[in-house]
Amino acid sequence: MERPHLKLPPWAKSLSARLLVLTVSFVMLAEIFVFAPSVARFRIDWLKAHLDSGYLAALALEATPDQMIPDDLEKELLSNAGIEAVILRREDRKLLLQRDDMPAKVDKDVNVTDFSIPMALMEGLSTLSQTGDRMLRVVGMPSMAPDFEIEILVHEESLTEAMRNFGWRVFGLSLMISFFTAGLVYFALNRLMVRPMRTLTRDMIRFRENPQDKSSVITPGLRDDEIGVARQELAIMQQDLQAMLNQRRRLAALGTAATKISHDLRNALATSMLMTEQLAKSEDDEVRAVVPRLLSSMERAVYISEQTLSFARETPPPRDLARFTLIELIEEIRDQILLQKSEPLLDGAVGENPDGKMPCTARIEIDLPDNVMLEADYDMLFRAFSNLIRNPLEAGADLVSITHSITNGLEELGESDEPRSFIEVSISDNGPGLPEKAIKNLFVPFAGSGRVGGTGLGLAIARELISTHHGDLRLVATGPDGAVFLVKLPFIA
């Protein structure tokens, strides 16, 4: 199935645009918490300023000899102060200035000396949202004469208008600061993070379009931060992926070739086996002695060809499930190996010649329960355990011990929620152990062979077959005293 061609998103949907919007939004959100206290403080300062203006107007009245001034001058003083009336209280007298002869009706009293932050915030927001005009009586002490109390009457509409003008100035300044800050943050983060991420994404898309092109591998760069480490790790991953793809391509080509070779080889061997059967009827003892060796070589050629073809498949072969006990499987493998001829058959098991001249010296000791029932493909597991038991005998071991341990209902099998029981089969030997090269490439096809002439497919195929049955194969230990492999398989409890 063809995958869609991916492209980088347009700028409006990119990380850059989202970063810019988020930065402006966060700065404006911070400015909201600054705006309310600023407006509340402006209201208090505005009222105090008008108290001072009213005090100055009252001083003009007090400076006259008879404390009387013309009505026009009185109205001008109050108009310049922006108030309707002012009352200055002395110890022995009270001075009054007002625009009209009739005193104005007071709608709200405000005492600027009684100050608290919550009250100032609520009063400020109330004044800012006021739609009508109220007459405020403001009581406080002017800054120029803190010992005297003064009262003024002022229209709240003037205060509301002044606060709104101040609010718009604060909003405009906040907006400028937000965009300026957002611009700095945006360009900094865009250069440090967004642009490298876009470059990284573009390189990943290019690699995805043609993963086998070596020029599409990401260049790590000199950065040592998280993005630099990500580029380095991605470059290593792409290199490993290319190596894996090249290997799978070779395996695919090998599988195709093996299919043709196997077909042609079977035809050639069919003729060879007919000729061999004729040789078996020869009266010459030396000729008859050669026949088993010829058959062994032919069977080995067919086995290697089929083994290579089987591993080259992209998916494991379908399983033919059956129920059988584990011990009968292992005992049949042991009997087959020990009954082999003295020369290597297939993978080279050591056995006894029909004439009894070369008795088998190898021992395969089995310690398995007779009630462990498996539901698996008999031939697949036969092939997997055969490889594991034959390999140490071919490497020079003369003793292979097969032991077990059981875990009951502690693990889950695949995607099923049903707990299963597992048996762990330990296969140990007294051989020379595995060479270092084989350990590093233990389950890597064509690279993990521990003997000269080996294909390195035995363990790789064994692991794949066991994994097909939801099991596991791993090397537990190896050294000059031998090696220990562990096979883990689910069984029917």
Side-chain angles (χ1 to χ4, degrees), residues 83-100:
I83 57 180
E84 291 298 319
V86 58
I87 301 174
L88 177 61
R89 300 181 186 275
R90 297 288 192 180
E91 296 179 357
D92 54 349
R93 61 187 182 279
K94 180 175 70 174
L95 298 178
L96 173 61
L97 286 175
Q98 61 181 10
R99 290 193 186 186
D100 301 325

Side-chain angles (χ1 to χ4, degrees), residues 388-437:
L388 294 172
I389 297 174
R390 279 196 184 99
N391 285 344
L393 298 177
E394 294 174 356
D398 56 12
L399 174 63
V400 176
S401 299
I402 303 173
T403 58
H404 77 284
S405 63
I406 293 177
T407 57
N408 291 317
L410 299 179
E411 304 189 31
E412 296 181 357
L413 177 60
E415 299 178 354
S416 174
D417 294 332
E418 180 184 358
R420 298 295 299 268
S421 298
F422 285 79
I423 182 169
E424 294 181 344
V425 182
S426 176
I427 303 174
S428 59
D429 63 79
N430 62 350
L434 296 174
E436 183 177 356
K437 178 183 177 182

Side-chain angles (χ1 to χ4, degrees), residues 194-386:
V194 178
R195 286 174 56 187
M197 287 300 299
R198 288 180 67 88
T199 302
L200 184 63
T201 305
R202 190 181 299 110
D203 292 340
M204 292 171 64
I205 294 175
R206 184 179 62 181
F207 180 82
R208 175 185 175 275
E209 292 174 349
N210 189 6
Q212 296 182 358
D213 184 7
K214 292 185 177 181
S215 62
S216 64
V217 175
I218 291 176
T219 304
L222 302 177
R223 293 185 61 163
D224 56 356
D225 56 5
E226 288 80 359
I227 294 181
V229 173
R231 289 188 66 88
Q232 294 175 8
E233 292 296 327
L234 188 57
I236 295 174
M237 184 184 70
Q238 289 179 343
Q239 293 172 359
D240 294 342
L241 181 61
Q242 281 190 344
M244 186 182 303
L245 290 174
N246 291 333
Q247 184 184 43
R248 292 190 68 87
R249 188 173 65 253
R250 291 195 299 270
L251 287 176
L254 180 61
T256 303
T259 304
K260 298 178 180 179
I261 293 174
S262 178
H263 180 268
D264 295 340
L265 187 60
R266 286 179 181 274
N267 293 334
L269 288 177
T271 304
S272 300
M273 286 183 176
L274 291 176
M275 298 293 294
T276 303
E277 290 177 0
Q278 296 299 322
L279 290 176
K281 299 176 183 178
S282 174
E283 298 179 357
D284 191 335
D285 294 338
E286 293 183 359
V287 172
R288 289 200 306 272
V290 173
V291 171
R293 193 178 299 274
L294 287 175
L295 290 174
S296 173
S297 300
M298 296 175 188
E299 291 175 358
R300 184 183 298 109
V302 173
Y303 177 83
I304 292 175
S305 176
E306 292 178 348
Q307 188 181 48
T308 304
L309 176 61
S310 175
F311 190 81
R313 293 191 184 102
E314 292 186 0
T315 58
R319 295 181 299 166
D320 184 12
L321 297 180
R323 291 195 174 189
F324 53 89
T325 60
L326 177 62
I327 191 169
E328 69 175 297
L329 172 70
I330 301 301
E331 286 180 346
E332 182 178 353
I333 294 173
R334 177 198 60 188
D335 295 341
Q336 184 188 72
I337 291 176
L338 296 182
L339 289 176
Q340 294 289 338
K341 298 178 181 181
S342 57
E343 70 276 3
L345 259 183
L346 297 183
D347 285 340
V350 178
E352 184 182 66
N353 277 336
D355 57 7
K357 294 182 179 179
M358 297 183 63
C360 178
T361 60
R363 289 183 299 128
I364 301 176
E365 298 180 352
I366 302 175
D367 179 17
L368 294 174
D370 56 3
N371 61 346
V372 173
M373 183 73 66
L374 302 180
E375 185 176 16
D377 189 302
Y378 192 91
D379 293 334
M380 285 187 180
L381 292 187
F382 189 96
R383 183 179 181 186
F385 279 103
S386 294

Side-chain angles (χ1 to χ4, degrees), residues 38-48 108 110 119-120 123-124 127 136 156 159 163:
S38 300
V39 170
R41 187 64 196 179
F42 176 83
R43 176 178 177 272
I44 295 174
D45 292 340
W46 190 91
L47 294 174
K48 287 184 176 181
K108 183 177 179 60
V110 179
M119 184 176 67
E123 292 290 343
T127 301
L136 304 179
E156 190 178 24
L159 175 59
M163 289 179 63

Side-chain angles (χ1 to χ4, degrees), residues 35 38-50 81-82 124 127-130 132-133 136 154-171:
F35 177 79
S38 300
V39 170
R41 187 64 196 179
F42 176 83
R43 176 178 177 272
I44 295 174
D45 292 340
W46 190 91
L47 294 174
K48 287 184 176 181
H50 282 68
T127 301
L128 189 63
S129 60
Q130 191 62 237
D133 184 21
L136 304 179
V154 64
H155 288 282
E156 190 178 24
E157 185 178 17
S158 302
L159 175 59
T160 302
E161 184 179 358
M163 289 179 63
R164 288 176 179 174
N165 291 334
F166 173 78
W168 281 113
R169 292 196 300 271
V170 171
F171 176 77

